[in-house]
Amino acid sequence: MSGNAMYGRTEHEWQELEQAGWDFLKARAAERRGDAMHDPTVSYSDANEELAARTGQPAFDFGQQAGRAAMGYLLGRISRNRSWPVSQLLISALVRYHGEADAGPGFFNLAREVGLIHGSMSDLERLEFWLRHVRKVQAYDWDLA
């Protein structure tokens, strides 16, 4: 990584991805808001395809660790810069980690960083925390953001 390109993308490209991801995740959260039976989550792969389509930028290569890390970096930017300041929620909870049924380690690390999680958690506690957070994200009125 050079000083002016993180994961091979310029700051301008990251800003474009961040805006597109923010718009996409707000729309996902708003779908059938308040309907506890509706699953607003999206896989890493589907989010990746959507962001590539919205921005015209190449999709992240999830066959490489750097591609998965880049998606995690982007999701962290979206939550840290966009959703947390306005709602005290991490909208990146809506993106299921590659090959898993819940969020990735970056989500849980960020939740610790902002004080939503303290100490260690069992797998069941992690899953329960994530599910509660997804429901809070789904219930929030993102039109206010």
Side-chain angles (χ1 to χ4, degrees):
M1 287 181 268
S2 69
N4 61 0
M6 176 74 80
Y7 297 108
R9 308 216 185 199
T10 67
E11 179 56 26
H12 175 76
E13 289 170 318
W14 283 113
Q15 289 171 4
E16 184 180 33
L17 286 163
E18 184 180 319
Q19 182 64 52
W22 173 236
D23 292 342
F24 173 60
L25 292 177
K26 284 194 313 180
R28 290 290 304 193
E31 289 176 1
R32 296 169 49 186
R33 186 163 57 102
D35 178 355
M37 298 304 292
H38 175 65
D39 179 7
T41 65
V42 61
S43 70
Y44 255 47
S45 296
D46 289 346
N48 192 26
E49 290 174 18
E50 182 66 27
L51 293 174
R54 286 177 181 233
T55 65
Q57 293 187 39
F60 297 114
D61 179 1
F62 291 159
Q64 304 291 320
Q65 172 57 29
R68 295 186 300 275
M71 177 60 93
Y73 171 74
L74 175 61
L75 294 173
R77 279 181 67 131
I78 293 167
S79 278
R80 191 178 280 112
N81 298 340
R82 304 295 182 114
S83 68
W84 182 256
V86 298
S87 66
Q88 304 293 280
L89 295 169
L90 304 174
I91 201 166
S92 59
L94 298 182
V95 185
R96 293 185 315 279
Y97 190 56
H98 186 71
E100 300 293 330
D102 65 0
F107 168 77
F108 294 101
N109 291 337
L110 184 54
R112 277 188 182 80
E113 180 184 312
V114 300
L116 294 175
I117 296 175
H118 305 283
S120 63
M121 300 172 85
S122 70
D123 289 345
L124 179 58
E125 289 169 329
R126 280 172 46 105
L127 181 60
E128 289 172 340
F129 170 80
W130 174 72
L131 289 170
R132 281 191 309 273
H133 204 79
V134 166
R135 291 300 171 225
K136 288 177 184 177
V137 167
Q138 184 181 28
Y140 188 80
D141 185 354
W142 292 101
D143 289 336
L144 301 174

